[in-house]
Amino acid sequence: MDDKYKLIALDLDGTLTNDQKEISKDTLKYIIGIQQAGLKIALASGRPTHGVSHIARQLKLDEFGGYMLSYNGGKIIRCSDGKILANHCLDLDLIPVLYQYAKDAGQSILTYTFDAVITEDADHELVKHESFLNGNMPIRKVTDFVEAVVKPPHKVAIIGEKEPLDKIFAELVQILGQRINIYRSAETYLEIVPAQIDKGKALSFLLSELNMTPKQLIAVGDSYNDLSMIQLAGLGVAMGNATEAVKQCAHYITKSNNEDGVAHLIQKVFFHAEDKKTIDLEYFNSLMQNTLMSTLGIKCTHLSEGRVEATMPVDIRTRQPMGILHGGATLAFAETLAGYGSVFLCDENEIQVGMQVSGNHISSAHEGDVVRGVATIVHKGRSSHVWNVDVLTGTDKIISSIRVVNSIIKRR
């Protein structure tokens, strides 16, 4: 097992749990397994502690010494003995202000006690959903929200419609930006926590407590409130269902929460199940939707260490007016294959960028043909990869021979 990483931080909704808010048997098995091997788990969620606790028990974090980071990191609890390591709350004088903004916009507001959701709108569907997310946490209906909040809360949520919430978000940032942090965990949900509270800062504190460094951290998430911890981690991982902004910041994109993405990640990193020998090509090709590759009809058919094969049709997307394969499409095809190959060879903290493409067009392919590309690595260095790509017709007649140079750089 890989001993490079010591702590794994997992978001819950959209990450650890599937759309039915359940942890799959495979995911549970692998998380228990890595804890038995000595790794620590930190559940990092916007949920209140009540909504994280039953998940922590299911994962046996008390037995293995894991941690709960609830309220987006506002409260940190060591599960082995229940000790609170950090505890941050909103100032009480903020509650009337937040309440008034919600009511003026016709939206609902809620907060939490240790064991209940507090709101004036107990029948609101989003309030009921919040209760469900948190293990059917009881809802306590109050007649006066401001008077009912007698202790500084860890988090307040304003829920409702997208456009009013957009306006509230912008105005609260402007007038209270020095005192609060606001997260958009969903279009219908604003999370408001104390200033300087986010998952990344909470994990930085926990790493210091554990005498670990960010390089020893894996952080996995799917939404905007996960960005800070993904950017902090030595290995930041986005779920396949993550927002595009999260995917852009991640070192690695695993499968979706409905495809056991966390289990897939653990297999890859700790048990080397793929060991860079095989890859799910159907899944790999599905990641290329809405890109140049899907526009040109490029389909990867083989991907292994040092060798890539793919096909591309000669049709209206790739031909010249004369009905033969366009040379530019051929070069794009070749650069794509070399890019796939370099990505496959890169470590988690590396990315590849194209640096040079040069080719010789020897023959032609006609509309209706499907050309095949074969890329083989010529040089694999620490800072560059050089690939030779041959493009052939369906009858294996060579069309073009192309050299591609990729630069390999470390992620910042």
Side-chain angles (χ1 to χ4, degrees):
M1 179 179 287
D2 195 319
D3 61 358
K4 178 179 178 181
Y5 302 108
K6 304 295 183 184
L7 178 67
I8 305 179
L10 298 169
D11 171 56
L12 297 188
D13 302 301
T15 299
L16 181 61
T17 64
N18 58 26
D19 287 351
Q20 287 69 50
K21 305 305 173 184
E22 299 170 342
I23 302 174
S24 73
K25 290 182 180 179
D26 276 352
T27 298
L28 180 60
K29 176 182 70 175
Y30 279 108
I31 290 177
I32 296 296
I34 59 173
Q35 289 183 104
Q36 289 172 335
L39 274 89
K40 300 297 183 184
I41 299 293
L43 299 180
S45 175
R47 292 187 187 189
T49 305
H50 183 282
V52 182
S53 297
H54 68 285
I55 300 290
R57 289 192 294 270
Q58 188 178 0
L59 299 180
K60 301 183 178 180
L61 298 196
D62 56 343
E63 179 181 338
F64 294 110
Y67 298 84
M68 290 188 293
L69 284 63
S70 52
Y71 302 109
N72 276 315
K75 190 172 186 177
I76 304 175
I77 298 175
R78 187 168 61 202
C79 296
S80 60
D81 58 6
K83 181 177 180 180
I84 298 173
L85 303 181
N87 196 34
H88 303 276
C89 297
L90 290 162
D91 294 330
L92 269 178
D93 68 301
L94 292 170
I95 303 305
V97 180
L98 299 175
Y99 176 81
Q100 200 61 50
Y101 265 92
K103 288 306 170 183
D104 287 349
Q107 307 303 295
S108 295
I109 188 168
L110 62 84
T111 189
Y112 315 86
T113 61
F114 173 75
D115 59 357
V117 179
I118 307 298
T119 184
E120 294 178 1
D121 303 311
D123 294 326
H124 196 297
E125 288 302 315
L126 291 174
V127 174
K128 293 179 180 179
H129 184 66
E130 180 67 10
S131 168
F132 166 72
L133 284 180
N134 292 288
N136 293 315
M137 193 174 187
I139 301 171
R140 181 157 69 89
K141 181 178 174 63
V142 297
T143 56
D144 189 319
F145 181 82
V146 176
E147 286 191 3
V149 182
V150 295
K151 293 183 178 181
H154 294 89
K155 183 178 85 169
V156 167
I158 300 176
I159 57 177
E161 300 170 350
K162 180 181 183 302
E163 290 186 6
L165 291 185
D166 287 343
K167 183 179 179 182
I168 293 172
F169 185 103
E171 292 182 1
L172 288 180
V173 167
Q174 185 173 4
I175 67 166
L176 295 176
Q178 299 299 314
R179 300 183 65 191
I180 63 173
N181 263 354
I182 309 180
Y183 300 99
R184 195 65 174 270
S185 54
E187 285 192 348
T188 56
Y189 199 91
L190 290 183
E191 299 184 39
I192 302 159
V193 296
Q196 305 305 314
I197 294 300
D198 62 43
K199 294 183 182 183
K201 290 184 176 67
L203 284 166
S204 291
F205 170 82
L206 182 58
L207 287 168
S208 178
E209 289 288 302
L210 298 175
N211 292 316
M212 295 180 187
T213 68
K215 289 184 178 180
Q216 295 173 301
L217 170 68
I218 297 175
V220 192
D222 72 301
S223 195
Y224 297 106
N225 62 337
D226 300 315
L227 281 170
S228 61
M229 70 174 185
I230 287 173
Q231 292 170 329
L232 169 72
L235 177 58
V237 180
M239 300 298 291
N241 53 288
T243 62
E244 191 59 35
V246 173
K247 289 180 178 178
Q248 289 295 326
C249 289
H251 302 124
Y252 177 71
I253 301 172
T254 187
K255 294 185 178 183
S256 77
N257 65 318
N258 290 324
E259 300 172 301
D260 290 341
V262 171
H264 173 80
L265 170 71
I266 293 171
Q267 285 179 292
K268 177 178 174 63
V269 175
F270 295 102
F271 299 104
H272 306 290
E274 291 176 356
D275 200 25
K276 294 191 176 179
K277 299 296 182 185
T278 61
I279 196 165
D280 184 340
L281 290 175
E282 182 178 356
Y283 174 70
F284 181 79
N285 285 314
S286 74
L287 297 176
M288 305 304 155
Q289 294 299 315
N290 301 315
T291 66
L292 174 71
M293 288 72 86
S294 64
T295 299
L296 296 182
I298 296 172
K299 183 177 180 181
C300 185
T301 57
H302 176 88
L303 181 53
S304 61
E305 188 166 346
R307 185 178 178 88
V308 186
E309 297 181 20
T311 60
M312 182 177 70
V314 183
D315 58 19
I316 191 171
R317 298 169 291 181
T318 59
R319 65 171 174 79
Q320 299 176 346
M322 294 180 291
I324 62 175
L325 179 63
H326 194 290
T330 306
L331 293 176
F333 184 41
E335 187 171 8
T336 296
L337 268 67
Y340 287 170
S342 287
V343 167
F344 193 78
L345 293 172
C346 283
D347 292 333
E348 286 89 350
N349 65 336
E350 295 177 330
I351 59 173
Q352 69 84 28
V353 292
M355 190 162 60
Q356 183 179 4
V357 182
S358 58
N360 295 306
H361 301 306
I362 301 164
S363 185
S364 60
H366 295 270
E367 188 168 9
D369 200 353
V370 176
V371 296
R372 181 169 66 95
V374 179
T376 53
I377 195 157
V378 177
H379 167 74
K380 179 187 173 185
R382 288 185 299 176
S383 60
S384 66
H385 294 167
V386 180
W387 293 84
N388 182 77
V389 185
D390 289 333
V391 181
L392 307 104
T393 65
T395 58
D396 281 343
K397 181 178 71 173
I398 191 163
I399 300 168
S400 302
S401 182
I402 300 160
R403 185 61 58 96
V404 181
V405 182
N406 290 329
S407 178
I408 309 303
I409 59 178
K410 297 292 183 183
R411 291 182 183 271
R412 294 191 177 91

